[in-house]
Amino acid sequence: MNETLSLLMNHRSIRKYSDKPVSEEQLAAVVAAGQMASTSSNVQAYTVIAVTDSDKKQALSRLAGNQAYIVECPVFLVWCADLYRLKKSAEPHLGDSPTYEDSTENFIVATVDAALAAQNAAVAAESLGMGIVYIGGIRNAIAEASELLELPELVYPVFGMCLGYPDQEPGLRPRLPQPAVLHRDRYDPGALAEVKTYDEISSAYLAKRTNGANTAPWSQLMAKRLAEPVRLHMQDFLKQKGFMKR
C-alpha cells in the first residue's frame, strides 16, 4: 500500500464543510489535475463551472433537492459535458462537410470525459486535505439549472461537486466484494452469488450508521432504486439541447 493507494482507499463523501476557504491557487491545481485525465481523441469535451456566488449556490441547492452542503461548501463545481466548444472550434475547418456532434457516440464521449476529469480532480482535492461529494441532484431540475448557468446548446450538467475542507469524519462505506466486479476473460453470472455476502456487510454497516433505524440490505435498496421513476425528463431535455439525435 503506497501513499496514492492509501488516499484512494480512504475516499469518503463529505457533506459538512468548515469555513476554511479554498484559494484560487488550490482551485486551479485541482482543475489542472482534472484536465490531465484521459480524454477520448483529445477532444476534452467538458467544462467545469466554479460557483462561489452565495445566491447562485442557494438557487442550485433548491433545484438539487435542498441539499444544504451545496450552500455550505466554499466552492461548488458543476461538471458539464461540452460539445459546443468542439463544434464551434471545428467550424472554420469544415466547410460544407456534414458533422455528427449530435450523435449518441459523441454524447457518451463528452459524458465520460467529464466524469474522468472530475474524478481526477476529486483525488487531487483529497490529496490537499479537502473533501468532495458528487451531486447528481443537479439533474433534478436540469433545464432550470442549465438556464441559471447560461449553458448553450450541446452543453449539459452531468453532476455537481461540493469542494471544501471537511468538518466531519464519516466512516468508510463498504463496497461490493471484488469477485463481484472483477471477472476473468468473460462475464461471469455466477459472481452474483457475492451479492448475498455484500447484503450482510451493507446491512450491518447501515445498522451501525443509523443506530439500528435502517438495516436494509443492498439488494433491497437497489430494488427500491430501480422501481423509482427517477429523472425521466432527461431524454427529452438532452435531445432539446442537441444531443443523441442519431
Side-chain angles (χ1 to χ4, degrees):
M1 184 74 72
N2 60 33
E3 185 177 350
T4 301
L5 285 172
S6 179
L7 178 70
L8 291 168
M9 296 297 285
N10 280 283
H11 167 72
R12 296 163 295 174
S13 293
I14 299 300
R15 294 179 173 85
K16 189 175 181 183
Y17 296 88
S18 74
D19 57 5
K20 183 177 179 179
V22 174
S23 71
E24 285 298 315
E25 291 79 12
Q26 290 168 325
L27 175 60
V30 166
V31 174
Q35 288 184 266
M36 293 308 295
S38 297
T39 168
S40 180
S41 301
N42 201 35
V43 296
Q44 303 172 75
Y46 60 88
T47 289
V48 57
I49 300 175
V51 182
T52 56
D53 178 81
S54 58
D55 290 339
K56 192 157 285 191
K57 285 198 294 177
Q58 287 276 3
L60 289 170
S61 175
R62 288 194 298 273
L63 294 173
N66 294 310
Q67 298 184 66
Y69 22 96
I70 295 175
V71 178
E72 295 166 0
C73 70
V75 182
F76 184 60
L77 301 177
V78 182
W79 294 88
C80 302
D82 184 355
L83 294 172
Y84 174 83
R85 180 174 58 240
L86 192 67
K87 178 184 178 182
K88 292 300 181 182
S89 298
E91 278 178 350
H93 308 282
L94 288 167
D96 295 328
S97 299
T99 60
Y100 299 92
E101 65 277 352
D102 58 357
S103 72
T104 299
E105 169 61 12
N106 279 324
F107 166 78
I108 293 171
V109 163
T111 303
V112 170
D113 264 17
L116 293 175
Q119 187 59 21
N120 250 33
V123 175
E126 291 174 349
S127 78
L128 295 172
M130 290 183 272
I132 67 100
V133 63
Y134 285 99
I135 305 293
I138 197 74
R139 301 189 303 275
N140 287 358
I142 194 168
E144 293 88 341
S146 297
E147 183 177 357
L148 183 68
L149 296 169
E150 302 178 37
L151 303 185
E153 63 172 352
L154 293 169
V155 180
Y156 88 96
V158 183
F159 43 70
M161 176 192 284
C162 295
L163 176 67
Y165 286 90
D167 191 27
Q168 62 176 179
E169 285 287 338
L172 294 174
R173 184 187 290 269
R175 299 304 202 230
L176 283 160
Q178 193 169 97
V181 298
L182 177 60
H183 299 194
R184 303 287 182 174
D185 298 320
R186 65 178 181 86
Y187 190 94
D188 180 12
L192 279 169
E194 297 290 339
V195 170
K196 183 177 180 181
T197 300
Y198 186 58
D199 273 347
E200 296 171 359
I201 294 169
S202 61
S203 179
Y205 166 81
L206 271 183
K208 182 177 180 180
R209 179 174 171 176
T210 65
N211 292 319
N214 188 351
T215 60
W218 179 79
S219 59
Q220 182 180 332
L221 295 173
M222 294 305 101
K224 182 176 183 292
R225 173 69 175 80
L226 284 180
E228 292 176 350
V230 178
R231 301 177 191 132
L232 299 184
H233 56 267
M234 284 297 301
Q235 185 181 69
D236 287 343
F237 170 80
L238 289 169
K239 287 183 175 179
Q240 288 167 10
K241 271 289 190 178
F243 293 99
M244 296 192 307
K245 293 189 175 179
R246 56 183 122 182

